[in-house]
Amino acid sequence: MTTSLSTRRAKGRAARTRGTGRTTGAGGGHGAKRAGRHLHGGRITYAVLIIFTIGSLFPLVWTAIAASRNNTRLAQTPPPFWFGGNLFKNLQFAWTDANIGAALLNTTIVAGSIAAGTVVFSTLAGFAFAKLRFRFKNLLLLLVIGTMMVPPQLSVVPLYMLIAELSWTDQLQSVILPTLVSAFGVFFMRQYLIEALPTELIEAARVDGASSWRVVWHVVFPAARPAMAVLGMLTFVMAWNDFFWPIIALTQNGSPTVQVALTGLGRGFIPDQSVIMAGALLGTLPLLIAFVLFGKHIVGGIMQGAVKG
């Protein structure tokens, strides 16, 4: 009697355990289904997103509207809020008058070289400051960060004297070489690699006999790829829109970038604002095309670096 009672109790506990397991498994399945579902925002979320989207696109749309009108219509009140019939005429005039084609090629070379140099050199320096051990590392890092506090206007005179001494005035290397690496890029890559690159990975590569350059190529660069994509995008846009130093080092008749070439548009006693807007639209289109083509890869790189595990 006692044995059968004990057996029934054991069977009861086993049944309860199986039932609990089935319940837990079912709950886990529902949890997995819930985790796989898409999250949907409410009406307020969509309204805020629509407002911010309209606010972000309005300057570009207004530039296109102004480029499709004439100077007389732009001077009237209220200003036009829809497209006119002079868009292609103004675009063609701006293209030929400021030689936008050559300026776009020069700007692509300058912005691409600066972005590539900044990404490579900043990643190497960021890796050194993040994972390597050497004397005066913290002091050198403070000096690098300290250069961010120096206004760029203070370096214009000595930099221009150096460029003139090297006979690089009005040549693209005068704009490319001084900005091949940035303190912000070094600090940005250092902060990213501290968390994204495990020290054990580097030590394992060293144990396998990898040299320093092989570690950088096969370990550091793959781990830093998301941050490199973001830094390259930001640097390319900043170099494309840069005006201060190119207007000093380059001329409109030599090898101008887009921003320098646009300063020659709309000349006259009364500047033609519609032609200026047409030139600005031509200078913006390559960036828009680049974002349309590579935006998915850039966002994918950002998400790859943001999601852990």
Side-chain angles (χ1 to χ4, degrees):
M1 185 69 179
T2 306
T3 305
S4 61
L5 182 60
S6 302
T7 304
R8 285 197 299 270
R9 288 179 179 175
K11 289 181 179 180
R13 286 195 297 268
R16 286 194 297 270
T17 303
R18 287 195 298 269
T20 305
R22 285 195 298 268
T23 305
T24 305
H30 290 303
K33 292 180 181 179
R34 287 195 297 269
R37 290 186 304 181
H38 293 285
L39 298 178
H40 297 280
R43 295 181 179 179
I44 298 178
T45 302
Y46 285 111
V48 172
L49 288 176
I50 291 173
I51 292 173
F52 275 96
T53 302
I54 294 175
S56 301
L57 292 177
F58 179 76
L60 180 62
V61 175
W62 166 249
T63 302
I65 293 174
S68 65
R69 297 287 183 164
N70 54 41
N71 214 28
T72 304
R73 181 63 184 92
L74 292 180
Q76 296 176 358
T77 302
F81 290 101
W82 193 244
F83 297 92
N86 298 330
L87 179 61
F88 294 102
K89 176 184 176 181
N90 291 334
L91 290 175
Q92 183 179 5
F93 182 82
W95 183 274
T96 55
D97 185 58
N99 197 10
I100 297 294
L104 286 174
L105 178 60
N106 294 333
T107 310
T108 303
I109 295 173
V110 169
S113 301
I114 292 175
T118 299
V119 168
V120 173
F121 294 134
S122 297
T123 303
L124 294 175
F127 165 64
F129 283 120
K131 297 298 179 178
L132 299 185
R133 297 179 181 178
F134 53 90
R135 297 180 62 184
F136 308 115
K137 182 174 75 172
N138 294 332
L139 178 60
L140 290 175
L141 180 61
L142 288 176
L143 290 176
V144 171
I145 298 175
T147 58
M148 299 173 61
M149 305 177 186
V150 180
Q153 292 81 359
L154 295 180
S155 61
V156 167
V157 174
L159 184 57
Y160 187 82
M161 293 174 61
L162 177 62
I163 294 300
E165 191 70 23
L166 295 173
S167 301
W168 285 355
T169 307
D170 204 16
Q171 298 183 27
L172 296 182
Q173 59 262 33
S174 63
V175 181
I176 296 174
L177 292 180
T179 52
L180 271 182
V181 66
S182 65
F184 169 77
V186 174
F187 181 73
F188 177 78
M189 295 305 302
R190 173 191 178 269
Q191 295 301 112
Y192 180 84
L193 289 174
I194 286 177
E195 298 293 336
L197 181 60
T199 307
E200 293 78 8
L201 215 60
I202 303 172
E203 294 175 350
R206 294 287 191 186
V207 170
D208 290 339
S211 61
S212 298
W213 286 110
R214 195 169 182 181
V215 170
V216 169
W217 185 260
H218 291 284
V219 178
V220 178
F221 282 170
R225 192 176 301 164
M228 293 170 68
V230 176
L231 180 61
M233 176 191 66
L234 295 176
T235 306
F236 186 86
V237 173
M238 291 177 62
W240 186 280
N241 294 325
D242 190 19
F243 178 76
F244 179 70
W245 174 242
I247 194 62
I248 297 174
L250 305 176
T251 62
Q252 298 175 12
N253 299 324
S255 301
T257 58
V258 170
Q259 310 304 328
V260 177
L262 291 180
T263 58
L265 285 176
R267 292 183 297 265
F269 183 74
I270 300 177
D272 194 339
Q273 300 295 334
S274 60
V275 175
I276 296 175
M277 290 296 181
L281 186 63
L282 288 173
T284 308
L285 283 179
L287 288 180
L288 297 178
I289 295 174
F291 275 108
V292 170
L293 294 178
F294 304 107
K296 184 177 181 179
H297 301 283
I298 294 172
V299 173
I302 296 174
M303 294 305 298
Q304 181 182 351
V307 178
K308 301 286 185 177

